[in-house]
Amino acid sequence: MERHFRDGHTETWWAADARLGGYGPASPCRLIVATTDPASLPEKATWYLATNLPHPDAPPTPPPARTRRPT
């Protein structure tokens, strides 16, 4: 992906889902690695992000069931 900065320059970054412990593309909490160099994963240019957003290829989840309040 191209990352655009406020000063106008851009950098190429790579992002991938990671699997670690309970994290994975199909789990409720995904681990994403974003970096400028996927071969060396430089410390100052690699981010490890946890998100509850579904994987883009995941099937849509139905909305939660509504519960009726007693009247």
Side-chain angles (χ1 to χ4, degrees):
M1 64 182 240
E2 288 293 315
R3 183 171 179 208
H4 300 268
F5 292 83
R6 279 186 258 175
D7 66 1
H9 84 279
T10 60
E11 293 179 359
T12 300
W13 282 63
W14 287 263
D17 274 287
R19 288 181 169 84
L20 177 68
Y23 295 101
S27 75
C29 192
R30 295 171 44 223
L31 181 62
I32 309 294
V33 180
T35 185
T36 57
D37 185 357
S40 66
L41 298 174
E43 185 177 337
K44 293 185 177 184
T46 301
W47 296 357
Y48 300 88
L49 311 161
T51 181
N52 63 352
L53 296 173
H55 189 279
D57 296 334
T61 55
R66 290 183 152 195
T67 57
R68 295 181 64 183
R69 293 184 180 178
T71 55

